[in-house]
């Protein structure tokens, strides 16, 4: 099926944008709209981004969030059009459209007073927003906003990275929320919300599967690797190392295990070589044989 999204037409099939991508993008935008209309906007909490700035403008003028979001994103998209690839263009314009529509059709939820506690509203809204953004980022999507602003400003200030420019824009919005409302607490709630949103979206993107990496230095590496295969049904990789001070050659074992196997592996290694050296590192996600499949 062909969809003429931009002038000249863009083929979603050609750009490898699937129905699942579009559905995920819509769900993400819907969750963002719920967070904005039900929790953030009623309390004037602005957790960064164009949507946060829209909340500030709404508190001053009463203009609906969806109108402000669309008005601000259209010029940003036009300015960033030549910077983006065709695939990114499609996802961006779909994100802008979905967020605008969901903001419009969930506007009635702002009249439902879920809670009068600003902190509770900030946390609840942040969780919804973080999950929504996590879904969108998992498919490399965007709803415009500071993503586009960061790309545009980077062209004028190439020495500053896009993440730094985006973060700076978010900080300005958070500060403005406190200035406009004349309440320092609102600015603080906005800052807390921004932090939670970033953390939640990172969890959604990277997954909950926090595996552990073991780097084991031992002269009994053969016995340890054999026990790992037999007891844990895990593979191991032998790396070649050399001591800087002694110059002695060392064989280093690299092993990735799930969290529930950490204690077992430590006991196993201790039984074989109590004097070995172990480095344990947290891993956000492990993909491949024995773990999650590569998406």
């Amino acid at each position: 099926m062909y969809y003429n999204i931009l002038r000249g037409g863009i083929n979603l099939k050609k750009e490898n944008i699937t129905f699942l991508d579009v559905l995920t993008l819509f769900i993400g935008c819907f969750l963002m709209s719920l967070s904005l209309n039900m929790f953030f906007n009623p309390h004037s909490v602005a957790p960064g981004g164009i949507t946060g700035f829209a909340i500030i403008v709404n508190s001053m003028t009463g203009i609906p969030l969806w109108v402000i979001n669309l008005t601000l994103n259209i010029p940003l998209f036009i300015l960033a059009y030549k910077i983006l690839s065709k695939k990114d263009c499609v996802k961006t314009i779909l994100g802008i459209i979905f967020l605008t529509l969901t903001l419009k059709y969930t506007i009635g939820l702002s009249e439902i007073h879920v809670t009068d506690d600003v902190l509770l509203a900030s946390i609840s809204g942040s969780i919804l927003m973080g999950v929504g953004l996590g879904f969108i980022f998992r498919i490399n999507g965007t709803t415009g906003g500071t993503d586009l602003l960061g790309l545009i400003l980077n062209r004028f200030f190439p020495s500053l990275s896009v993440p730094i420019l985006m973060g700076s824009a978010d900080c300005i919005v958070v500060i403005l929320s406190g200035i406009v409302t004349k309440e320092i607490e609102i600015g603080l709630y906005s800052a807390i919300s921004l932090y939670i949103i970033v953390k939640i979206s990172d969890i959604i993107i990277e997954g909950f599967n926090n595996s552990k990496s073991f780097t084991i230095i031992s002269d009994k590496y053969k016995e340890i690797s054999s026990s790992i295969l037999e007891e844990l049904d895990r593979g191991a990789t032998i790396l070649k190392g050399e001591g800087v001070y002694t110059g002695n050659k060392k064989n280093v074992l690299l092993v990735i295990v799930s969290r529930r196997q950490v204690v077992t592996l430590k006991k196993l290694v201790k039984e074989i070589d109590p004097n070995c050296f172990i480095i344990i590192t947290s891993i956000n996600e492990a993909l491949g044989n024995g773990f999650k499949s590569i998406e």
Side-chain angles (χ1 to χ4, degrees):
M1 183 177 291
Y2 295 84
Y3 298 83
N4 290 321
I5 304 295
L6 301 172
R7 188 178 65 180
I10 292 180
N11 182 352
L12 293 185
K13 191 172 181 180
K14 181 179 178 181
E15 299 301 328
N16 294 320
I17 299 175
T18 65
F19 172 76
L20 184 59
D21 288 340
V22 177
L23 180 61
T24 302
L25 188 58
F26 177 80
I27 292 173
C29 290
F30 179 71
L31 292 175
M32 288 179 65
S33 298
L34 292 182
S35 71
L36 291 163
N37 280 325
M38 291 182 67
F39 298 103
F40 290 134
N41 198 38
H43 298 282
S44 298
V45 175
I50 291 297
T51 51
F53 185 71
I55 289 173
I56 295 173
V57 175
N58 172 266
S59 67
M60 297 171 62
T61 64
I63 300 173
L65 292 182
W66 70 270
V67 174
I68 302 169
N69 179 73
L70 186 62
T71 303
L72 293 175
N73 270 307
I74 287 176
L76 286 176
F77 176 78
I78 293 172
L79 288 172
Y81 175 71
K82 291 185 178 180
I83 303 174
L84 300 171
S85 66
K86 285 187 176 182
K87 185 175 181 179
D88 289 336
C89 279
V90 175
K91 287 185 177 180
T92 300
I93 200 165
L94 284 176
I96 294 172
I97 291 171
F98 287 161
L99 183 58
T100 301
L101 290 175
T102 52
L103 280 173
K104 180 179 180 180
Y105 290 106
T106 60
I107 195 171
L109 296 176
S110 59
E111 299 176 3
I112 302 175
H113 295 287
V114 179
T115 177
D116 292 323
D117 189 321
V118 184
L119 179 59
L120 182 57
S122 299
I123 294 173
S124 301
S126 299
I127 293 172
L128 277 175
M129 177 74 79
V131 173
L133 284 173
F135 283 164
I136 293 170
F137 292 155
R138 277 186 73 92
I139 61 166
N140 292 320
T142 176
T143 58
T146 50
D147 291 9
L148 297 181
L149 184 61
L151 287 171
I152 295 167
L153 291 176
N154 179 252
R155 287 300 180 96
F156 296 97
F157 307 100
S159 59
L160 299 175
S161 67
V162 173
I164 288 176
L165 292 168
M166 289 171 59
S168 300
D170 288 334
C171 288
I172 291 172
V173 171
V174 167
I175 293 170
L176 282 176
S177 68
I179 294 173
V180 171
T181 59
K182 298 180 181 179
E183 295 183 39
I184 296 177
E185 284 189 349
I186 294 297
L188 294 175
Y189 286 131
S190 298
I192 291 171
S193 297
L194 177 60
Y195 177 81
I196 296 173
I197 289 168
V198 171
K199 291 299 179 181
I200 294 293
S201 61
D202 283 346
I203 290 173
I204 298 299
I205 295 167
E206 296 170 355
F208 292 91
N209 183 23
N210 291 320
S211 301
K212 298 289 185 179
S213 170
F214 276 65
T215 303
I216 305 168
I217 302 175
S218 170
D219 292 332
K220 298 181 179 180
Y221 68 94
K222 288 185 178 180
E223 293 94 324
I224 293 173
S225 59
S226 296
S227 295
I228 291 172
L229 286 170
E230 293 174 6
E231 301 294 331
L232 300 179
D233 193 28
R234 290 288 184 191
T237 300
I238 297 177
L239 307 176
K240 299 298 181 181
E242 181 179 340
V244 174
Y245 181 73
T246 63
N248 294 333
K249 303 292 182 180
K250 292 284 184 180
N251 287 300
V252 182
L253 282 178
L254 176 63
V255 187
I256 309 296
V257 296
S258 62
R259 283 179 293 182
R260 66 177 181 273
Q261 294 176 316
V262 170
V263 175
T264 304
L265 180 54
K266 285 196 289 187
K267 288 181 178 179
L268 183 152
V269 174
K270 182 180 179 181
E271 289 175 359
I272 297 173
D273 186 2
N275 299 316
C276 72
F277 184 76
I278 304 176
I279 301 172
I280 304 175
T281 309
S282 294
I283 298 175
N284 288 324
E285 196 170 13
L287 306 175
N289 188 25
F291 295 91
K292 286 174 57 179
S293 61
I294 301 174
E295 298 177 353

